[in-house]
Amino acid sequence: MRVGDRVLVSGTAPIWPDGSCDPDPGVQARRCLEIILNAIREAGGGPEHVVRTRMFVTSTAVGEAVGRAHAEVFADVRPASTMVVVAGLLDPRWHVEIEAEAILD
């Protein structure tokens, strides 16, 4: 959703168009970020416009893999980021769900 110069991408799940979900948490995080960046690009932005991300993970055991995937995408941007461990996500195959906010120039 774009509101003025802000782009808000709600919780993004690690699913592919065919409904499949890779069991690897790092792959899941990269998929979530790919979906997020595509949405931001459709609104006219890019990764450099992301100012905040929120990552919801199902255990501390997957945090490192998710954090690495996040760093691959945002190493130079360094948005304000939060990672929260939750009891579960909508689909038991998911280890991570990510949301983001961007501000376009």
Side-chain angles (χ1 to χ4, degrees):
M1 165 185 282
R2 183 171 178 169
V3 179
D5 63 351
R6 293 182 67 200
V7 178
L8 307 162
V9 183
S10 60
T12 303
I15 55 174
W16 278 257
D18 65 359
S20 66
C21 178
D22 191 291
D24 181 275
V27 173
Q28 288 189 15
R30 284 190 288 283
R31 176 62 180 153
C32 291
L33 294 167
E34 176 185 18
I35 295 167
I36 287 168
L37 292 177
N38 285 339
I40 291 170
R41 284 186 186 103
E42 286 178 18
E48 69 276 12
H49 295 104
V50 175
V51 296
R52 181 176 230 344
T53 59
R54 292 177 191 90
M55 297 163 276
F56 303 94
V57 296
T58 55
S59 77
T60 57
V62 303
E64 187 175 332
V66 172
R68 271 195 312 270
H70 188 275
E72 289 170 9
V73 173
F74 296 117
D76 295 331
V77 180
R78 301 185 53 85
S81 300
T82 302
M83 187 180 297
V84 179
V85 177
V86 296
L89 296 167
L90 187 61
D91 186 316
R93 299 175 299 167
W94 304 350
H95 296 291
V96 60
E97 188 172 325
I98 303 175
E99 58 183 45
E101 298 179 35
I103 299 179
L104 307 184
D105 301 320

